[in-house]
Amino acid sequence: MLVSLIAKDKDGALDVRKANRDAHLAYIKSTGVVQQAGPILSDAGEMIGSVVILDVQSMADAKDWAASDPYALAGLFDSVELLHWNRVIGG
């Protein structure tokens, strides 16, 4: 099952994002469930959120993955939305 995670950072949290980026990327690589991922950018090109496509067994697995993300543990996000996703193009 594919799940899209759409997370928006708290205002002024770029330093939190940068400080936890290496741990976040290591987590992505180590879990083996991330199909695609990348930051959401502001008009000025600054990172202000994340989009992650997860390939998991259940929505509960997606919630567990999201809760254990170093970005989430650091309190980076203002909001996180998990939605079922249907790939139409790519992959």
Side-chain angles (χ1 to χ4, degrees):
M1 143 197 259
L2 296 176
V3 175
S4 64
L5 179 153
I6 302 168
K8 296 182 182 172
D9 297 356
K10 292 178 181 172
D11 287 338
L14 186 57
D15 288 341
V16 174
R17 175 175 279 277
K18 288 179 177 179
N20 291 279
R21 192 161 195 257
D22 289 343
H24 167 74
L25 294 174
Y27 178 67
I28 283 176
K29 291 176 184 174
S30 72
T31 59
V33 299
V34 176
Q35 297 295 303
Q36 295 184 44
I40 298 169
L41 304 176
S42 70
D43 290 341
E46 290 186 350
M47 297 178 285
I48 58 167
S50 298
V51 173
V52 181
I53 304 298
L54 302 168
D55 188 356
V56 292
Q57 294 296 313
S58 67
M59 187 58 77
D61 290 340
K63 289 178 182 178
D64 289 344
W65 189 94
S68 298
D69 180 354
Y71 278 167
L73 296 173
L76 173 63
F77 299 131
D78 183 47
S79 66
V80 176
E81 190 171 14
L82 293 166
L83 302 164
H84 292 277
W85 187 68
N86 181 38
R87 181 186 342 233
V88 175
I89 298 173

